[in-house]
Amino acid sequence: MKRLKIRCAVVGASGYVGLELLRLLGQHPRTEVVLATSNTHRGKAVAEVFPHLPLKTSLRFTPHDDAADFNAADVFLLSLPHGNSFNIIESLLATAKVIDLSADYRLKNPADYEKWYGFTHPKPHLLKKAVYGLTELNRRAVRGAALVANPGCYPTGMLLAAAPLAKLAGIKPDQIIIDAKSGYSGAGRVLAEKYLFTEASGEFTAYSVVGHRHCPEMLQETSRIFGKAVKIVFTPHLIPVSRGILSTLYAKTKVIKEEELRKAYIKFYRGEPFVRISPAGETPGIREVSGTNMCTIGLFADTENSVIKVITAIDNLCKGAAGQAVQNMNLMFGMEETAGLEAAPLVP
Amino acid sequence: MKRLKIRCAVVGASGYVGLELLRLLGQHPRTEVVLATSNTHRGKAVAEVFPHLPLKTSLRFTPHDDAADFNAADVFLLSLPHGNSFNIIESLLATAKVIDLSADYRLKNPADYEKWYGFTHPKPHLLKKAVYGLTELNRRAVRGAALVANPGCYPTGMLLAAAPLAKLAGIKPDQIIIDAKSGYSGAGRVLAEKYLFTEASGEFTAYSVVGHRHCPEMLQETSRIFGKAVKIVFTPHLIPVSRGILSTLYAKTKVIKEEELRKAYIKFYRGEPFVRISPAGETPGIREVSGTNMCTIGLFADTENSVIKVITAIDNLCKGAAGQAVQNMNLMFGMEETAGLEAAPLVP
Amino acid sequence: MKRLKIRCAVVGASGYVGLELLRLLGQHPRTEVVLATSNTHRGKAVAEVFPHLPLKTSLRFTPHDDAADFNAADVFLLSLPHGNSFNIIESLLATAKVIDLSADYRLKNPADYEKWYGFTHPKPHLLKKAVYGLTELNRRAVRGAALVANPGCYPTGMLLAAAPLAKLAGIKPDQIIIDAKSGYSGAGRVLAEKYLFTEASGEFTAYSVVGHRHCPEMLQETSRIFGKAVKIVFTPHLIPVSRGILSTLYAKTKVIKEEELRKAYIKFYRGEPFVRISPAGETPGIREVSGTNMCTIGLFADTENSVIKVITAIDNLCKGAAGQAVQNMNLMFGMEETAGLEAAPLVP
Amino acid sequence: MKRLKIRCAVVGASGYVGLELLRLLGQHPRTEVVLATSNTHRGKAVAEVFPHLPLKTSLRFTPHDDAADFNAADVFLLSLPHGNSFNIIESLLATAKVIDLSADYRLKNPADYEKWYGFTHPKPHLLKKAVYGLTELNRRAVRGAALVANPGCYPTGMLLAAAPLAKLAGIKPDQIIIDAKSGYSGAGRVLAEKYLFTEASGEFTAYSVVGHRHCPEMLQETSRIFGKAVKIVFTPHLIPVSRGILSTLYAKTKVIKEEELRKAYIKFYRGEPFVRISPAGETPGIREVSGTNMCTIGLFADTENSVIKVITAIDNLCKGAAGQAVQNMNLMFGMEETAGLEAAPLVP
């Protein structure tokens, strides 16, 4: 008999991404949260720590370590800091499906972990098994996956912008520039001076200008999509807002007109429930996707300069993390892909 | 006998740039404001309309048209919408110096006004006479100028980023990209829905993605600096803050290392009172220049991708408009270049 | 046969409140929007004007006047400026139920319209018929109502704070002070300088310090609740956020302790789906209710000063307008009171 | 011979208040900063840590403890956490004047320190000597003081609102309510989750609703001014801005009309350089005082309810801390009271 509700375990449930998972799963018609872990809030009722969540449950936070022994879930969604869940994921896979929202299974080449994260990947065999969960680009593989590596927030916006370009003649894949801007929730609940309201209010600045950790992920996936080596110049910035990433992608091309470009994107994303191509001349904004799993895409051809510009807006915590995880979970369990992800954004 | 105080007339004194002129001139040790025009506030005392200004004066706003007959000023600073001051400027030049903060005298080629502004420039002979007032790059000419065309806000940040590149071997001037982000005061007091707090709060978006009116100004000056035709890809965005422009410039180069780059900029801007080169690894932010005439510059070489990144931060109303006008005025009248422009920003 | 979906007509659908109605009704399991009026956007598809709304409909905006002849709706929700819907409401009542979100039917005494709004109320007989739709306080009357006058945003927060006090011994109803703070969406899409982002960002100020138009509504209802004349001192302020009202109520009392106060409120609001009493020592914030129909209430007794403080947080556009309208509609049509109103707020 | 420049030592120079002291003293025509202490930044050049400060100095941060042995300053401005400077202040007074910006010398009754701060005051004899530095109310005493206890930010706005009321017949001093709203810089550089941008953005909430530590200070000084015991109900709130405090004071009175009230305040503050009474009907805002030492006061009589409302706006870091300290220093050294404090606010 088919279970009516998918039993979800959220490991790392009190960070911003974990909290977003609880928000989305709490509104999902086909899931129930059966485990929520948090070392900080261990023992406390979830409804007491986060009274704003409309949870009809008496769930209490347990420590992260409890997840390893828990076998009453159909799927584990893990939102722990990088490098913290290698050991438990392997054992969890014996009884359940796993969606890992950290970077631990995103990179295919174990050497990349040494270069970018400073550790030797302890489970290289699982790297091969893990499916990179950029849903729109990997739907088929996600459906059959036991372990999904949920994409990073910047790569999500970037890859949705770049993927259709691979089908276009005349795009030079070695000259892609991404100028990205993110809200502060992307930094998590990290207590650092620069993240204080008093410091960030009225501020706008770049950071990690060269060598951001999301670069190898973008390179790996773009190269796969293009079928050849690409180069990506990436600069992240911080916007004084909580949520949202706007990415402006620049690509060189001598031949493409805006109309063609638009047609190509419309065709590429036809039927996609979470991608919206903006009408000609319109630019996407981060508010129209806030709290949603949508990605809106604006398209422009600067023909005088032989450059096209592709602008994407996503919510970093939702489509860029928890929302995409739910989208992937929906596919992995044969549910409607949009289940639990249909709420409109707050505008204004 | 030398006059102790320069008599300043501010034409268009109630817009954001005009107001910033009043703020700066009110704190200037060597100037007095003898005329302030505003059609909206005609007849009212400046101190009543703007009680926060520390003005020791009983000045009243007069209509803009009064400026034409006013001959008791040493300098006129005009901050009217584009196309509104052609007639009076010519007559003002008979008795005074003029700094025009509109775009009316920035472009050297009259045809550009037809293309970008939709009108035939009525005073092409004055176009030749006007000095483009990007102070750091044109200091000598500004000193001797009767008519200064004060630069636009985006071109100011962009040109200060780009100018030192002309001295460097291996920069390809046909592949410069500027991804710029501005606060909302750049739009002036325009009553449009998109500028309402309720719309802009939490929002981040691009606009005028292709063909912004500041493009010809940037092209003209960059070509002049480089001594050859350049290409500039420019994308402006709106940050939910009042003041500040952060510009991220990308240029292709195969050979330049970050250290070299830094040395070149330090040398280029040596002794400049209003340019600060950020230490290695540090990125400029808009708050550290807010309310000041400073431009801070961050320098990065992404050697793996053969790209350099030059990030500049300015205050769009100050260095990008009124502050630079005062800096130019200081030079035109043989005063200390920094007079009236030494206040620190509010941090935090 | 019972209709599966309630047919809703939204008159004035492009203002902030109208847009919030569309957002909520679009997510409601038991309603469909069959008419949306907007003079500004007449003829355009709703999905084109507001692409972020997840509407599965080809609805187009029609002019407001079309509502008068429309007879295929079960309920009309009107969100027009005050004084604009007197004529149509009477005719609409012949075939449908009506929820008016303007102030036109909130005041029982026609003379109040002359005093506070400057016009003679043309339909005093309907004033008597109209039910004041503060749901928690008037649930029974709302259930049977044909015409509901939906409360103002400030009165909603204020009355939910004040109502339980009527049951308490020792409260002096002639010394109630409400210090209220609202986000800018409360001002609607009004194009005024003070509402520009550049003006409002970083600002905090009071307005309508004496004689705000919501005063008579608060007085009328509080007097009704207390069964005697009350006095209310009310000061509204503007917070630099889009949504949310926080109201701090002060009442004199010699005898009440915090524990008692809390017990009284918990008892008064027992079983209410949209009221949450904060735990002792905790203060409500506007983010935890943003986008929701919740009202959170914080309770404090300053025994040294014989004053109690009741702090309420609501979303001005949702519980303070469109959300409460949907809540009322749910009751008027015998649906679950919470239908369509269960989404969690975005936190963070 | 009179020294041309007052030598200032700033103890605790890297917190927000210390930084504001450096900003103001760096622009002061008659002071030089000869010592700046910071344990965090010990050994580093001030100009390197805070490059935005226009300091013409090679000053380096020394540890706080160095202040005790430093005897080359005319005045010490101390901005350390409460309870940290008892020992050094006594020794500093042997050679210099002292302005303490902590709460350590604000309360006259040693028992208050036990009740509100949990320690026994170790220097009760100095408590008597210390002058409470609310300049406008204590000017004469400040002039002759060796030790000034600089007021807290909330008390500054509150007392400037309340003081003129003591001269008015019919004010009931036992029913004063202060509803105050502060920007986040008031919390200092404290690393707590609730102060993160992601948490505070879009938020508005009250805190310390009963028993804020500034209460005894307000009570003490108001009682002194009124010449009798008063009662003050105080509720602080947090506004999502960096700087600024808006305080709305409510007082009961049967007899006072707005015109009278205005006249009384104008008379009381006649000639005060840092107090501005708003015109009738206008409400002060925090932006018009941001970065300045001004206090603007709006006055309203709600005659129907026998209540007057006095709204004050100050910058919590400037008039509420560092600016008032400089104002006091100016008086203590016989300088112009406004020296170094004349800069206009940034508007917009």
Side-chain angles (χ1 to χ4, degrees):
Chain A
M1 198 197 75
K2 216 175 165 184
R3 202 177 284 279
L4 283 171
K5 297 240 176 187
I6 307 297
R7 298 166 304 170
C8 301
V10 180
V11 182
S14 65
Y16 290 151
V17 170
L19 185 48
E20 184 76 350
L21 283 169
L22 292 182
R23 181 180 77 89
L24 293 171
L25 295 171
Q27 298 172 184
H28 196 290
R30 296 278 312 280
T31 65
E32 59 180 327
V33 178
V34 292
L35 181 78
T37 79
S38 163
N39 286 346
T40 313
H41 300 299
R42 60 201 303 167
K44 287 191 199 155
V46 176
E48 177 199 343
V49 178
F50 299 123
H52 67 275
L53 289 175
L55 290 174
K56 286 155 191 158
T57 166
S58 55
L59 202 65
R60 287 182 177 276
F61 285 114
T62 57
H64 300 321
D65 287 348
D66 284 13
D69 302 324
F70 191 80
N71 59 11
D74 301 305
V75 61
F76 285 78
L77 301 110
L78 294 98
S79 179
L80 296 178
H82 309 310
N84 280 254
S85 40
F86 289 123
N87 291 325
I88 61 169
I89 282 184
E90 190 157 25
S91 66
L92 296 177
L93 283 169
T95 62
K97 301 195 180 199
V98 170
I99 301 172
D100 184 16
L101 289 93
S102 82
D104 289 353
Y105 291 96
R106 291 182 196 152
L107 305 180
K108 289 301 171 193
N109 184 351
D112 276 344
Y113 285 95
E114 276 158 48
K115 179 172 171 195
W116 293 92
Y117 291 88
F119 61 71
T120 305
H121 199 287
K123 310 282 177 186
H125 59 290
L126 282 182
L127 276 189
K128 282 179 206 146
K129 201 176 164 186
V131 170
Y132 186 75
L134 201 309
T135 332
E136 284 73 14
L137 308 181
N138 268 353
R139 188 172 277 116
R140 200 169 308 180
V142 168
R143 273 207 182 94
L147 169 57
V148 163
N150 214 60
C153 53
Y154 285 124
T156 295
M158 184 272 161
L159 291 168
L160 290 172
L165 297 179
K167 309 273 185 188
L168 292 176
I171 295 289
K172 299 185 183 167
D174 60 341
Q175 303 194 9
I176 291 174
I177 290 177
I178 310 286
D179 193 282
K181 302 90 179 173
S182 173
Y184 277 75
S185 65
R189 272 193 217 274
V190 175
L191 294 181
E193 271 189 23
K194 63 184 166 179
Y195 300 142
L196 289 177
F197 184 88
T198 301
E199 301 286 325
S201 166
E203 182 61 291
F204 188 88
T205 187
Y207 71 101
S208 299
V209 178
V210 175
H212 188 281
R213 278 181 172 180
H214 281 173
C215 288
E217 185 181 341
M218 291 191 266
L219 275 174
Q220 165 186 295
E221 292 301 309
T222 314
S223 297
R224 204 175 54 74
I225 293 165
F226 275 77
K228 55 184 158 186
V230 300
K231 288 199 166 180
I232 294 171
V233 173
F234 175 67
T235 319
H237 300 74
L238 279 171
I239 323 167
V241 303
S242 283
R243 286 174 179 243
I245 290 180
L246 195 98
S247 299
T248 305
L249 176 151
Y250 300 87
K252 290 296 272 186
T253 168
K254 290 243 157 98
V255 295
I256 298 167
K257 296 201 182 95
E258 195 166 304
E259 217 180 285
E260 252 179 282
L261 190 66
R262 188 170 311 282
K263 271 186 199 161
Y265 273 71
I266 288 173
K267 186 177 166 198
F268 191 94
Y269 287 120
R270 193 182 311 284
E272 286 296 342
F274 295 118
V275 177
R276 184 168 61 234
I277 312 298
S278 298
E282 287 189 19
T283 53
I286 56 174
R287 286 222 326 200
E288 72 199 31
V289 297
S290 186
T292 80
N293 200 48
M294 291 296 297
C295 173
T296 52
I297 304 183
L299 298 162
F300 299 88
D302 181 347
T303 45
E304 210 156 318
N305 290 301
S306 307
V307 159
I308 56 166
K309 306 180 184 183
V310 183
I311 304 177
T312 57
I314 61 165
D315 179 326
N316 55 303
L317 292 181
C318 201
K319 177 63 181 169
Q324 190 157 235
V326 171
Q327 186 182 1
N328 286 329
M329 178 194 70
N330 287 344
L331 290 174
M332 292 160 85
F333 287 87
M335 296 185 279
E336 276 289 307
E337 187 170 335
T338 56
L341 297 169
E342 289 167 310
L346 287 196
V347 175
Chain B
M1 197 197 76
K2 216 174 166 184
R3 200 178 284 280
L4 282 171
K5 296 241 177 186
I6 306 297
R7 298 166 304 169
C8 302
V10 180
V11 182
S14 65
Y16 290 151
V17 171
L19 184 49
E20 184 76 350
L21 283 168
L22 293 181
R23 180 179 78 90
L24 293 171
L25 295 170
Q27 298 172 183
H28 196 290
R30 295 279 313 279
T31 65
E32 60 180 326
V33 178
V34 292
L35 182 79
T37 80
S38 163
N39 286 347
T40 312
H41 298 299
R42 61 200 304 165
K44 287 190 198 155
V46 175
E48 178 199 343
V49 177
F50 299 123
H52 67 277
L53 290 175
L55 290 174
K56 285 155 190 161
T57 167
S58 57
L59 202 65
R60 285 181 180 278
F61 285 113
T62 57
H64 299 321
D65 288 348
D66 284 13
D69 302 324
F70 191 81
N71 59 12
D74 301 305
V75 60
F76 285 79
L77 300 111
L78 293 97
S79 178
L80 296 178
H82 309 310
N84 280 254
S85 42
F86 289 123
N87 291 325
I88 62 169
I89 282 184
E90 190 157 27
S91 66
L92 297 177
L93 284 168
T95 62
K97 302 196 181 198
V98 170
I99 300 172
D100 184 17
L101 288 94
S102 83
D104 289 353
Y105 291 95
R106 291 180 196 153
L107 306 180
K108 289 301 171 194
N109 183 352
D112 275 345
Y113 284 95
E114 277 158 48
K115 180 172 171 195
W116 293 91
Y117 290 88
F119 61 71
T120 306
H121 200 286
K123 310 281 177 187
H125 60 289
L126 282 182
L127 275 190
K128 283 178 208 149
K129 203 177 162 183
V131 169
Y132 186 75
L134 202 307
T135 330
E136 284 73 14
L137 308 181
N138 270 352
R139 187 171 278 116
R140 198 169 309 180
V142 166
R143 274 209 180 92
L147 170 57
V148 163
N150 214 61
C153 52
Y154 285 123
T156 296
M158 184 272 161
L159 292 167
L160 290 171
L165 297 179
K167 309 273 183 188
L168 292 176
I171 295 289
K172 299 186 184 167
D174 60 340
Q175 302 193 11
I176 291 174
I177 289 177
I178 310 287
D179 193 282
K181 301 89 178 173
S182 172
Y184 277 75
S185 64
R189 272 193 217 273
V190 175
L191 294 181
E193 270 188 23
K194 63 184 166 180
Y195 300 142
L196 290 177
F197 184 87
T198 301
E199 301 286 326
S201 166
E203 182 61 292
F204 187 88
T205 187
Y207 71 101
S208 299
V209 178
V210 175
H212 188 280
R213 278 181 171 181
H214 281 172
C215 288
E217 185 180 340
M218 292 191 265
L219 275 174
Q220 165 186 292
E221 292 301 310
T222 313
S223 297
R224 205 176 53 75
I225 294 164
F226 275 77
K228 56 184 159 186
V230 300
K231 288 198 168 181
I232 295 172
V233 173
F234 176 66
T235 318
H237 300 73
L238 278 170
I239 322 168
V241 303
S242 283
R243 285 172 180 245
I245 290 179
L246 194 98
S247 299
T248 306
L249 177 151
Y250 300 87
K252 290 296 272 186
T253 168
K254 290 244 157 96
V255 295
I256 300 167
K257 296 200 183 96
E258 196 166 302
E259 218 181 284
E260 254 180 278
L261 190 66
R262 187 170 312 280
K263 272 188 196 160
Y265 274 71
I266 287 172
K267 186 177 167 197
F268 191 93
Y269 287 119
R270 193 182 310 283
E272 286 296 342
F274 295 119
V275 177
R276 183 169 61 234
I277 312 296
S278 297
E282 287 190 19
T283 54
I286 56 174
R287 286 221 327 200
E288 71 199 30
V289 297
S290 186
T292 80
N293 201 48
M294 291 297 296
C295 174
T296 53
I297 304 183
L299 298 161
F300 300 88
D302 181 348
T303 44
E304 209 155 321
N305 290 301
S306 307
V307 158
I308 55 166
K309 306 181 185 183
V310 183
I311 304 176
T312 57
I314 62 166
D315 180 327
N316 56 304
L317 293 180
C318 200
K319 178 62 181 171
Q324 189 156 236
V326 170
Q327 186 183 2
N328 286 328
M329 180 194 71
N330 287 345
L331 289 175
M332 292 160 84
F333 288 87
M335 295 186 280
E336 275 290 307
E337 188 170 335
T338 56
L341 296 169
E342 289 165 310
L346 287 195
V347 175
Chain C
M1 196 197 76
K2 216 175 166 184
R3 201 178 284 280
L4 282 171
K5 298 241 176 185
I6 306 297
R7 297 166 305 169
C8 302
V10 179
V11 182
S14 65
Y16 289 151
V17 171
L19 184 48
E20 184 76 350
L21 282 169
L22 293 182
R23 180 180 77 88
L24 294 171
L25 295 171
Q27 297 173 182
H28 196 291
R30 295 279 312 279
T31 65
E32 60 181 325
V33 178
V34 293
L35 181 78
T37 79
S38 163
N39 286 347
T40 313
H41 298 300
R42 60 200 304 166
K44 286 191 199 153
V46 176
E48 178 198 344
V49 178
F50 299 123
H52 67 275
L53 290 175
L55 291 174
K56 285 154 190 159
T57 167
S58 56
L59 201 67
R60 287 181 178 278
F61 285 113
T62 57
H64 300 321
D65 288 348
D66 284 13
D69 302 324
F70 191 81
N71 60 11
D74 300 305
V75 61
F76 285 79
L77 301 111
L78 293 96
S79 178
L80 296 178
H82 309 311
N84 279 254
S85 41
F86 289 123
N87 291 326
I88 61 169
I89 282 184
E90 190 157 24
S91 66
L92 296 177
L93 284 169
T95 63
K97 302 195 179 196
V98 170
I99 300 171
D100 184 17
L101 289 95
S102 82
D104 289 354
Y105 291 96
R106 291 181 197 153
L107 306 180
K108 290 301 172 193
N109 184 350
D112 276 343
Y113 284 95
E114 276 158 49
K115 180 172 171 195
W116 293 91
Y117 290 88
F119 61 70
T120 305
H121 199 286
K123 310 281 177 187
H125 60 289
L126 282 182
L127 276 190
K128 282 177 207 149
K129 202 177 163 186
V131 169
Y132 186 75
L134 202 308
T135 330
E136 283 73 14
L137 308 181
N138 269 351
R139 188 172 277 117
R140 199 169 308 179
V142 167
R143 274 207 181 95
L147 169 57
V148 162
N150 214 60
C153 51
Y154 285 123
T156 295
M158 183 271 162
L159 291 167
L160 290 172
L165 297 179
K167 308 273 184 188
L168 293 176
I171 295 289
K172 298 185 184 170
D174 60 340
Q175 302 194 9
I176 291 174
I177 290 178
I178 310 287
D179 193 282
K181 303 89 178 172
S182 172
Y184 277 76
S185 64
R189 270 193 219 276
V190 175
L191 294 180
E193 270 188 24
K194 63 184 165 179
Y195 300 142
L196 290 177
F197 184 88
T198 302
E199 301 286 326
S201 166
E203 182 61 292
F204 188 88
T205 186
Y207 71 101
S208 299
V209 178
V210 175
H212 188 280
R213 278 181 171 181
H214 281 172
C215 289
E217 186 181 340
M218 292 191 266
L219 275 174
Q220 165 185 294
E221 293 301 310
T222 314
S223 298
R224 204 174 56 73
I225 294 164
F226 276 78
K228 55 184 159 187
V230 299
K231 287 199 169 182
I232 295 171
V233 173
F234 176 66
T235 318
H237 301 73
L238 278 170
I239 321 167
V241 303
S242 283
R243 286 173 179 244
I245 290 180
L246 195 98
S247 299
T248 305
L249 177 151
Y250 300 88
K252 290 296 271 187
T253 168
K254 291 243 158 95
V255 295
I256 299 169
K257 296 202 183 94
E258 197 166 301
E259 216 179 285
E260 252 180 280
L261 190 66
R262 187 171 311 282
K263 271 187 197 161
Y265 273 71
I266 286 173
K267 186 177 168 197
F268 191 93
Y269 287 120
R270 192 181 310 282
E272 286 296 342
F274 295 118
V275 177
R276 184 170 58 235
I277 312 297
S278 297
E282 287 189 19
T283 53
I286 56 174
R287 285 218 331 199
E288 72 199 31
V289 297
S290 185
T292 80
N293 200 49
M294 291 297 296
C295 174
T296 53
I297 305 183
L299 298 162
F300 300 88
D302 181 348
T303 45
E304 208 155 320
N305 290 300
S306 307
V307 158
I308 55 166
K309 306 181 184 182
V310 184
I311 304 177
T312 57
I314 61 165
D315 180 327
N316 56 304
L317 293 181
C318 201
K319 178 63 181 170
Q324 190 156 235
V326 170
Q327 186 183 0
N328 286 328
M329 179 194 70
N330 287 345
L331 290 174
M332 292 160 84
F333 287 88
M335 295 185 279
E336 276 290 307
E337 188 171 336
T338 56
L341 296 170
E342 288 166 310
L346 288 196
V347 176
Chain D
M1 197 197 75
K2 216 175 166 183
R3 202 179 284 280
L4 282 170
K5 298 240 177 186
I6 306 299
R7 298 167 303 169
C8 302
V10 180
V11 182
S14 66
Y16 290 152
V17 170
L19 184 48
E20 185 76 349
L21 283 168
L22 292 182
R23 182 180 77 89
L24 293 170
L25 295 171
Q27 298 172 183
H28 195 291
R30 296 277 314 278
T31 65
E32 59 180 327
V33 178
V34 292
L35 182 79
T37 79
S38 162
N39 286 347
T40 312
H41 299 299
R42 60 201 304 165
K44 287 192 199 154
V46 176
E48 178 198 343
V49 178
F50 300 124
H52 67 275
L53 289 175
L55 292 174
K56 285 153 192 162
T57 167
S58 56
L59 202 65
R60 286 182 179 278
F61 285 113
T62 57
H64 300 321
D65 287 348
D66 284 12
D69 301 324
F70 191 80
N71 60 10
D74 301 304
V75 60
F76 285 78
L77 301 110
L78 293 98
S79 177
L80 295 178
H82 309 311
N84 280 254
S85 40
F86 289 123
N87 291 326
I88 61 169
I89 282 184
E90 190 157 27
S91 66
L92 296 177
L93 283 169
T95 63
K97 303 196 178 197
V98 170
I99 300 172
D100 183 17
L101 289 94
S102 82
D104 289 354
Y105 291 96
R106 291 181 196 152
L107 304 179
K108 290 299 172 195
N109 183 351
D112 275 344
Y113 284 95
E114 277 158 48
K115 179 171 172 196
W116 293 91
Y117 291 88
F119 61 72
T120 306
H121 199 288
K123 310 280 177 188
H125 60 289
L126 281 182
L127 275 190
K128 282 180 207 146
K129 201 177 165 186
V131 170
Y132 186 74
L134 201 308
T135 331
E136 283 73 14
L137 308 181
N138 269 351
R139 188 171 278 115
R140 199 169 308 179
V142 167
R143 274 209 180 92
L147 170 57
V148 163
N150 215 61
C153 52
Y154 285 124
T156 296
M158 183 273 161
L159 292 167
L160 290 171
L165 297 179
K167 309 273 184 188
L168 293 176
I171 295 288
K172 300 184 182 168
D174 60 341
Q175 302 194 10
I176 291 174
I177 290 178
I178 310 288
D179 193 281
K181 300 90 178 173
S182 172
Y184 277 76
S185 64
R189 271 193 219 273
V190 175
L191 293 181
E193 272 188 23
K194 62 184 166 179
Y195 301 141
L196 290 178
F197 184 88
T198 301
E199 301 287 325
S201 166
E203 182 62 291
F204 188 89
T205 187
Y207 71 102
S208 299
V209 178
V210 176
H212 189 280
R213 279 181 171 181
H214 281 172
C215 288
E217 185 181 341
M218 293 191 265
L219 275 173
Q220 165 186 293
E221 293 301 309
T222 314
S223 297
R224 205 177 53 75
I225 294 165
F226 276 77
K228 56 184 157 187
V230 300
K231 288 199 167 180
I232 295 171
V233 173
F234 175 66
T235 319
H237 299 74
L238 278 170
I239 322 168
V241 303
S242 283
R243 285 172 180 246
I245 290 180
L246 194 98
S247 299
T248 305
L249 177 151
Y250 300 88
K252 290 296 272 185
T253 168
K254 289 245 157 95
V255 296
I256 298 167
K257 296 202 182 95
E258 195 166 303
E259 218 181 283
E260 255 180 279
L261 189 67
R262 188 170 311 282
K263 271 187 198 161
Y265 273 71
I266 287 172
K267 187 177 167 197
F268 190 94
Y269 286 120
R270 194 182 308 284
E272 285 297 342
F274 295 119
V275 177
R276 183 169 60 234
I277 311 297
S278 297
E282 287 189 19
T283 53
I286 57 174
R287 287 221 326 201
E288 71 199 32
V289 297
S290 185
T292 80
N293 201 48
M294 292 297 297
C295 174
T296 53
I297 305 182
L299 298 161
F300 300 88
D302 180 348
T303 45
E304 209 155 319
N305 290 301
S306 307
V307 159
I308 56 166
K309 305 181 185 184
V310 183
I311 304 177
T312 57
I314 61 165
D315 180 327
N316 55 303
L317 292 181
C318 201
K319 178 63 179 168
Q324 190 156 234
V326 171
Q327 186 183 2
N328 286 329
M329 179 194 70
N330 287 344
L331 290 174
M332 292 160 85
F333 287 87
M335 296 186 278
E336 276 289 308
E337 187 170 334
T338 56
L341 296 170
E342 288 165 311
L346 288 196
V347 175

